[in-house]
mmCIF file of all heavy atoms in Angstrom:
data_model
loop_
_atom_site.group_PDB
_atom_site.id
_atom_site.type_symbol
_atom_site.label_atom_id
_atom_site.label_comp_id
_atom_site.label_asym_id
_atom_site.label_seq_id
_atom_site.Cartn_x
_atom_site.Cartn_y
_atom_site.Cartn_z
ATOM 1 N N MET G 15 0.803 -1.223 0.000
ATOM 2 C CA MET G 15 0.000 0.000 0.000
ATOM 3 C C MET G 15 0.837 1.274 0.000
ATOM 4 O O MET G 15 0.581 2.209 -0.762
ATOM 5 C CB MET G 15 -0.921 -0.042 1.220
ATOM 6 C CG MET G 15 -1.718 1.202 1.479
ATOM 7 S SD MET G 15 -2.756 0.954 2.934
ATOM 8 C CE MET G 15 -3.288 2.654 3.212
ATOM 9 N N LEU G 16 1.866 1.343 0.827
ATOM 10 C CA LEU G 16 2.640 2.571 0.957
ATOM 11 C C LEU G 16 3.368 2.941 -0.329
ATOM 12 O O LEU G 16 3.680 4.113 -0.557
ATOM 13 C CB LEU G 16 3.644 2.443 2.108
ATOM 14 C CG LEU G 16 3.036 2.351 3.514
ATOM 15 C CD1 LEU G 16 4.123 2.189 4.547
ATOM 16 C CD2 LEU G 16 2.180 3.583 3.807
ATOM 17 N N PHE G 17 3.645 1.953 -1.172
ATOM 18 C CA PHE G 17 4.340 2.211 -2.432
ATOM 19 C C PHE G 17 3.379 2.561 -3.565
ATOM 20 O O PHE G 17 3.803 2.793 -4.694
ATOM 21 C CB PHE G 17 5.184 0.991 -2.826
ATOM 22 C CG PHE G 17 6.397 0.784 -1.956
ATOM 23 C CD1 PHE G 17 6.286 0.119 -0.742
ATOM 24 C CD2 PHE G 17 7.632 1.279 -2.337
ATOM 25 C CE1 PHE G 17 7.393 -0.074 0.059
ATOM 26 C CE2 PHE G 17 8.739 1.093 -1.531
ATOM 27 C CZ PHE G 17 8.627 0.414 -0.319
ATOM 28 N N ASN G 18 2.075 2.572 -3.252
ATOM 29 C CA ASN G 18 1.075 2.808 -4.286
ATOM 30 C C ASN G 18 0.105 3.923 -3.940
ATOM 31 O O ASN G 18 -0.936 4.064 -4.583
ATOM 32 C CB ASN G 18 0.295 1.512 -4.551
ATOM 33 C CG ASN G 18 1.140 0.453 -5.227
ATOM 34 O OD1 ASN G 18 1.298 0.441 -6.438
ATOM 35 N ND2 ASN G 18 1.699 -0.451 -4.430
ATOM 36 N N LEU G 19 0.434 4.719 -2.930
ATOM 37 C CA LEU G 19 -0.458 5.806 -2.526
ATOM 38 C C LEU G 19 -0.568 6.864 -3.623
ATOM 39 O O LEU G 19 0.392 7.137 -4.343
ATOM 40 C CB LEU G 19 0.065 6.466 -1.248
ATOM 41 C CG LEU G 19 -0.067 5.665 0.053
ATOM 42 C CD1 LEU G 19 0.678 6.374 1.170
ATOM 43 C CD2 LEU G 19 -1.536 5.482 0.429
ATOM 44 N N GLY G 20 -1.770 7.444 -3.750
ATOM 45 C CA GLY G 20 -1.932 8.622 -4.595
ATOM 46 C C GLY G 20 -2.179 8.367 -6.057
ATOM 47 O O GLY G 20 -2.124 9.290 -6.863
ATOM 48 N N ALA G 21 -2.460 7.120 -6.431
ATOM 49 C CA ALA G 21 -2.809 6.808 -7.828
ATOM 50 C C ALA G 21 -1.739 7.270 -8.818
ATOM 51 O O ALA G 21 -2.022 7.854 -9.854
ATOM 52 C CB ALA G 21 -4.151 7.439 -8.196
ATOM 53 N N ASN G 22 -0.477 6.999 -8.483
ATOM 54 C CA ASN G 22 0.624 7.402 -9.362
ATOM 55 C C ASN G 22 0.794 6.373 -10.477
ATOM 56 O O ASN G 22 1.752 5.610 -10.523
ATOM 57 C CB ASN G 22 1.909 7.532 -8.540
ATOM 58 C CG ASN G 22 3.056 8.082 -9.371
ATOM 59 O OD1 ASN G 22 2.836 8.759 -10.368
ATOM 60 N ND2 ASN G 22 4.272 7.786 -8.960
ATOM 61 N N VAL G 23 -0.188 6.349 -11.402
ATOM 62 C CA VAL G 23 -0.176 5.388 -12.499
ATOM 63 C C VAL G 23 0.745 5.910 -13.599
ATOM 64 O O VAL G 23 0.568 7.014 -14.106
ATOM 65 C CB VAL G 23 -1.602 5.162 -13.036
ATOM 66 C CG1 VAL G 23 -1.578 4.206 -14.221
ATOM 67 C CG2 VAL G 23 -2.499 4.608 -11.928
ATOM 68 N N ALA G 24 1.711 5.096 -13.975
ATOM 69 C CA ALA G 24 2.748 5.545 -14.895
ATOM 70 C C ALA G 24 2.286 5.483 -16.350
ATOM 71 O O ALA G 24 1.475 4.642 -16.742
ATOM 72 C CB ALA G 24 4.003 4.690 -14.718
ATOM 73 N N ASN G 25 2.826 6.378 -17.145
ATOM 74 C CA ASN G 25 2.600 6.419 -18.586
ATOM 75 C C ASN G 25 3.556 5.445 -19.264
ATOM 76 O O ASN G 25 4.771 5.589 -19.167
ATOM 77 C CB ASN G 25 2.831 7.847 -19.092
ATOM 78 C CG ASN G 25 2.543 8.020 -20.576
ATOM 79 O OD1 ASN G 25 2.252 7.065 -21.286
ATOM 80 N ND2 ASN G 25 2.630 9.251 -21.047
ATOM 81 N N GLN G 26 3.011 4.426 -19.945
ATOM 82 C CA GLN G 26 3.843 3.450 -20.647
ATOM 83 C C GLN G 26 3.851 3.652 -22.162
ATOM 84 O O GLN G 26 4.611 2.984 -22.864
ATOM 85 C CB GLN G 26 3.365 2.027 -20.332
ATOM 86 C CG GLN G 26 3.442 1.691 -18.849
ATOM 87 C CD GLN G 26 2.983 0.278 -18.564
ATOM 88 O OE1 GLN G 26 3.796 -0.603 -18.275
ATOM 89 N NE2 GLN G 26 1.688 0.035 -18.649
ATOM 90 N N ALA G 27 2.988 4.541 -22.668
ATOM 91 C CA ALA G 27 2.948 4.880 -24.105
ATOM 92 C C ALA G 27 2.818 3.657 -24.982
ATOM 93 O O ALA G 27 3.403 3.598 -26.062
ATOM 94 C CB ALA G 27 4.196 5.690 -24.483
ATOM 95 N N GLY G 28 2.015 2.682 -24.566
ATOM 96 C CA GLY G 28 2.029 1.387 -25.225
ATOM 97 C C GLY G 28 0.749 0.929 -25.871
ATOM 98 O O GLY G 28 0.532 -0.281 -25.969
ATOM 99 N N VAL G 29 -0.104 1.848 -26.346
ATOM 100 C CA VAL G 29 -1.380 1.402 -26.919
ATOM 101 C C VAL G 29 -1.482 1.677 -28.418
ATOM 102 O O VAL G 29 -1.735 0.770 -29.198
ATOM 103 C CB VAL G 29 -2.575 2.033 -26.174
ATOM 104 C CG1 VAL G 29 -3.894 1.526 -26.763
ATOM 105 C CG2 VAL G 29 -2.514 1.721 -24.683
ATOM 106 N N SER G 30 -1.310 2.917 -28.849
ATOM 107 C CA SER G 30 -1.483 3.220 -30.274
ATOM 108 C C SER G 30 -0.341 4.086 -30.792
ATOM 109 O O SER G 30 0.439 4.652 -30.013
ATOM 110 C CB SER G 30 -2.826 3.923 -30.520
ATOM 111 O OG SER G 30 -2.834 5.214 -29.950
ATOM 112 N N VAL G 31 -0.258 4.190 -32.112
ATOM 113 C CA VAL G 31 0.792 4.981 -32.754
ATOM 114 C C VAL G 31 0.194 5.675 -33.969
ATOM 115 O O VAL G 31 -0.595 5.088 -34.718
ATOM 116 C CB VAL G 31 1.994 4.088 -33.152
ATOM 117 C CG1 VAL G 31 1.581 2.973 -34.092
ATOM 118 C CG2 VAL G 31 3.122 4.903 -33.743
ATOM 119 N N TRP G 32 0.546 6.946 -34.133
ATOM 120 C CA TRP G 32 0.029 7.766 -35.225
ATOM 121 C C TRP G 32 1.157 8.637 -35.768
ATOM 122 O O TRP G 32 1.886 9.253 -34.988
ATOM 123 C CB TRP G 32 -1.081 8.702 -34.734
ATOM 124 C CG TRP G 32 -2.273 8.022 -34.158
ATOM 125 C CD1 TRP G 32 -2.376 7.447 -32.916
ATOM 126 C CD2 TRP G 32 -3.541 7.847 -34.777
ATOM 127 N NE1 TRP G 32 -3.630 6.938 -32.734
ATOM 128 C CE2 TRP G 32 -4.369 7.164 -33.859
ATOM 129 C CE3 TRP G 32 -4.059 8.217 -36.017
ATOM 130 C CZ2 TRP G 32 -5.683 6.837 -34.148
ATOM 131 C CZ3 TRP G 32 -5.376 7.888 -36.308
ATOM 132 C CH2 TRP G 32 -6.172 7.199 -35.381
ATOM 133 N N GLN G 33 1.295 8.704 -37.099
ATOM 134 C CA GLN G 33 2.219 9.681 -37.686
ATOM 135 C C GLN G 33 1.408 10.852 -38.214
ATOM 136 O O GLN G 33 0.403 10.682 -38.910
ATOM 137 C CB GLN G 33 3.055 9.092 -38.809
ATOM 138 C CG GLN G 33 4.033 10.134 -39.375
ATOM 139 C CD GLN G 33 5.116 9.548 -40.239
ATOM 140 O OE1 GLN G 33 5.752 8.578 -39.875
ATOM 141 N NE2 GLN G 33 5.337 10.142 -41.406
ATOM 142 N N ARG G 34 1.867 12.048 -37.855
ATOM 143 C CA ARG G 34 1.134 13.253 -38.255
ATOM 144 C C ARG G 34 2.111 14.420 -38.324
ATOM 145 O O ARG G 34 2.860 14.666 -37.373
ATOM 146 C CB ARG G 34 0.025 13.524 -37.249
ATOM 147 C CG ARG G 34 -0.882 14.691 -37.611
ATOM 148 C CD ARG G 34 -2.078 14.740 -36.681
ATOM 149 N NE ARG G 34 -2.781 16.014 -36.802
ATOM 150 C CZ ARG G 34 -3.760 16.271 -37.659
ATOM 151 N NH1 ARG G 34 -4.167 15.325 -38.487
ATOM 152 N NH2 ARG G 34 -4.346 17.458 -37.682
ATOM 153 N N ASN G 35 2.117 15.114 -39.462
ATOM 154 C CA ASN G 35 2.940 16.306 -39.647
ATOM 155 C C ASN G 35 4.398 16.059 -39.262
ATOM 156 O O ASN G 35 5.031 16.872 -38.591
ATOM 157 C CB ASN G 35 2.367 17.478 -38.849
ATOM 158 C CG ASN G 35 1.035 17.959 -39.407
ATOM 159 O OD1 ASN G 35 0.792 17.870 -40.608
ATOM 160 N ND2 ASN G 35 0.173 18.457 -38.540
ATOM 161 N N GLY G 36 4.923 14.926 -39.688
ATOM 162 C CA GLY G 36 6.332 14.615 -39.488
ATOM 163 C C GLY G 36 6.686 14.065 -38.128
ATOM 164 O O GLY G 36 7.858 13.748 -37.884
ATOM 165 N N LYS G 37 5.711 13.937 -37.234
ATOM 166 C CA LYS G 37 5.964 13.389 -35.905
ATOM 167 C C LYS G 37 5.257 12.049 -35.759
ATOM 168 O O LYS G 37 4.185 11.829 -36.313
ATOM 169 C CB LYS G 37 5.464 14.350 -34.817
ATOM 170 C CG LYS G 37 6.219 15.660 -34.721
ATOM 171 C CD LYS G 37 5.671 16.519 -33.587
ATOM 172 C CE LYS G 37 6.437 17.824 -33.464
ATOM 173 N NZ LYS G 37 5.890 18.690 -32.379
ATOM 174 N N LEU G 38 5.871 11.172 -34.985
ATOM 175 C CA LEU G 38 5.276 9.897 -34.638
ATOM 176 C C LEU G 38 4.829 9.986 -33.188
ATOM 177 O O LEU G 38 5.629 10.279 -32.299
ATOM 178 C CB LEU G 38 6.294 8.771 -34.826
ATOM 179 C CG LEU G 38 5.746 7.346 -34.848
ATOM 180 C CD1 LEU G 38 4.829 7.136 -36.048
ATOM 181 C CD2 LEU G 38 6.896 6.341 -34.877
ATOM 182 N N TYR G 39 3.533 9.768 -32.952
ATOM 183 C CA TYR G 39 2.965 9.876 -31.609
ATOM 184 C C TYR G 39 2.661 8.484 -31.061
ATOM 185 O O TYR G 39 2.059 7.652 -31.753
ATOM 186 C CB TYR G 39 1.658 10.670 -31.637
ATOM 187 C CG TYR G 39 1.798 12.137 -31.936
ATOM 188 C CD1 TYR G 39 1.816 12.592 -33.259
ATOM 189 C CD2 TYR G 39 1.894 13.073 -30.922
ATOM 190 C CE1 TYR G 39 1.930 13.948 -33.547
ATOM 191 C CE2 TYR G 39 2.006 14.436 -31.206
ATOM 192 C CZ TYR G 39 2.020 14.864 -32.514
ATOM 193 O OH TYR G 39 2.123 16.211 -32.794
ATOM 194 N N ALA G 40 3.047 8.246 -29.819
ATOM 195 C CA ALA G 40 2.698 7.016 -29.109
ATOM 196 C C ALA G 40 1.798 7.383 -27.940
ATOM 197 O O ALA G 40 2.176 8.200 -27.089
ATOM 198 C CB ALA G 40 3.948 6.303 -28.614
ATOM 199 N N PHE G 41 0.606 6.787 -27.913
ATOM 200 C CA PHE G 41 -0.373 7.075 -26.876
ATOM 201 C C PHE G 41 -0.521 5.907 -25.915
ATOM 202 O O PHE G 41 -0.440 4.743 -26.298
ATOM 203 C CB PHE G 41 -1.749 7.353 -27.494
ATOM 204 C CG PHE G 41 -1.864 8.690 -28.170
ATOM 205 C CD1 PHE G 41 -1.643 8.811 -29.535
ATOM 206 C CD2 PHE G 41 -2.209 9.822 -27.461
ATOM 207 C CE1 PHE G 41 -1.763 10.037 -30.179
ATOM 208 C CE2 PHE G 41 -2.324 11.058 -28.087
ATOM 209 C CZ PHE G 41 -2.102 11.166 -29.451
ATOM 210 N N ASP G 42 -0.777 6.262 -24.664
ATOM 211 C CA ASP G 42 -1.150 5.298 -23.651
ATOM 212 C C ASP G 42 -2.626 5.510 -23.331
ATOM 213 O O ASP G 42 -3.359 6.133 -24.103
ATOM 214 C CB ASP G 42 -0.280 5.472 -22.400
ATOM 215 C CG ASP G 42 -0.240 4.227 -21.526
ATOM 216 O OD1 ASP G 42 -0.872 3.225 -21.871
ATOM 217 O OD2 ASP G 42 0.429 4.260 -20.481
ATOM 218 N N GLU G 43 -3.071 5.056 -22.185
ATOM 219 C CA GLU G 43 -4.442 5.238 -21.739
ATOM 220 C C GLU G 43 -4.482 6.373 -20.720
ATOM 221 O O GLU G 43 -3.985 6.236 -19.603
ATOM 222 C CB GLU G 43 -4.937 3.944 -21.092
ATOM 223 C CG GLU G 43 -6.421 3.862 -20.867
ATOM 224 C CD GLU G 43 -7.188 3.572 -22.152
ATOM 225 O OE1 GLU G 43 -7.088 4.380 -23.098
ATOM 226 O OE2 GLU G 43 -7.879 2.545 -22.209
ATOM 227 N N TYR G 44 -5.052 7.533 -21.118
ATOM 228 C CA TYR G 44 -5.229 8.677 -20.228
ATOM 229 C C TYR G 44 -3.895 9.237 -19.731
ATOM 230 O O TYR G 44 -3.585 9.240 -18.538
ATOM 231 C CB TYR G 44 -6.127 8.321 -19.038
ATOM 232 C CG TYR G 44 -7.438 7.698 -19.438
ATOM 233 C CD1 TYR G 44 -8.127 6.863 -18.576
ATOM 234 C CD2 TYR G 44 -7.992 7.936 -20.680
ATOM 235 C CE1 TYR G 44 -9.336 6.286 -18.938
ATOM 236 C CE2 TYR G 44 -9.196 7.372 -21.057
ATOM 237 C CZ TYR G 44 -9.866 6.549 -20.180
ATOM 238 O OH TYR G 44 -11.063 5.987 -20.550
ATOM 239 N N ALA G 45 -3.104 9.701 -20.652
ATOM 240 C CA ALA G 45 -1.805 10.295 -20.337
ATOM 241 C C ALA G 45 -1.453 11.240 -21.472
ATOM 242 O O ALA G 45 -2.193 11.398 -22.440
ATOM 243 C CB ALA G 45 -0.741 9.210 -20.193
ATOM 244 N N LYS G 46 -0.318 11.905 -21.362
ATOM 245 C CA LYS G 46 0.199 12.675 -22.484
ATOM 246 C C LYS G 46 0.753 11.721 -23.540
ATOM 247 O O LYS G 46 0.954 10.534 -23.295
ATOM 248 C CB LYS G 46 1.293 13.635 -22.007
ATOM 249 C CG LYS G 46 0.784 14.762 -21.118
ATOM 250 C CD LYS G 46 1.913 15.721 -20.759
ATOM 251 C CE LYS G 46 1.400 16.873 -19.920
ATOM 252 N NZ LYS G 46 2.477 17.843 -19.582
ATOM 253 N N ALA G 47 0.991 12.259 -24.723
ATOM 254 C CA ALA G 47 1.583 11.461 -25.790
ATOM 255 C C ALA G 47 3.107 11.577 -25.730
ATOM 256 O O ALA G 47 3.651 12.540 -25.204
ATOM 257 C CB ALA G 47 1.087 11.943 -27.145
ATOM 258 N N HIS G 48 3.770 10.567 -26.276
ATOM 259 C CA HIS G 48 5.210 10.645 -26.506
ATOM 260 C C HIS G 48 5.442 10.794 -28.004
ATOM 261 O O HIS G 48 4.768 10.142 -28.805
ATOM 262 C CB HIS G 48 5.923 9.390 -26.004
ATOM 263 C CG HIS G 48 6.128 9.365 -24.519
ATOM 264 N ND1 HIS G 48 5.106 9.129 -23.634
ATOM 265 C CD2 HIS G 48 7.242 9.561 -23.763
ATOM 266 C CE1 HIS G 48 5.578 9.164 -22.394
ATOM 267 N NE2 HIS G 48 6.870 9.430 -22.449
ATOM 268 N N THR G 49 6.380 11.647 -28.382
ATOM 269 C CA THR G 49 6.741 11.773 -29.782
ATOM 270 C C THR G 49 8.051 11.038 -30.050
ATOM 271 O O THR G 49 8.920 10.946 -29.177
ATOM 272 C CB THR G 49 6.892 13.245 -30.204
ATOM 273 O OG1 THR G 49 7.862 13.887 -29.373
ATOM 274 C CG2 THR G 49 5.563 13.969 -30.093
ATOM 275 N N LEU G 50 8.145 10.504 -31.262
ATOM 276 C CA LEU G 50 9.321 9.760 -31.683
ATOM 277 C C LEU G 50 9.749 10.229 -33.070
ATOM 278 O O LEU G 50 8.949 10.794 -33.822
ATOM 279 C CB LEU G 50 9.037 8.249 -31.724
ATOM 280 C CG LEU G 50 8.644 7.563 -30.416
ATOM 281 C CD1 LEU G 50 7.135 7.549 -30.245
ATOM 282 C CD2 LEU G 50 9.169 6.133 -30.372
ATOM 283 N N ASN G 51 10.994 9.970 -33.391
ATOM 284 C CA ASN G 51 11.509 10.204 -34.732
ATOM 285 C C ASN G 51 11.043 9.043 -35.618
ATOM 286 O O ASN G 51 11.405 7.887 -35.360
ATOM 287 C CB ASN G 51 13.033 10.267 -34.689
ATOM 288 C CG ASN G 51 13.644 10.565 -36.038
ATOM 289 O OD1 ASN G 51 13.218 10.044 -37.059
ATOM 290 N ND2 ASN G 51 14.669 11.399 -36.051
#
């Protein structure tokens, strides 16, 4: 419990991928996106 307080769910960027305007976006579930080359 003490290591999981506060709903600190990590972004794994592991669900979908989209290329748009020269950027590659990796999305997770309810987080920011990561961009890739």
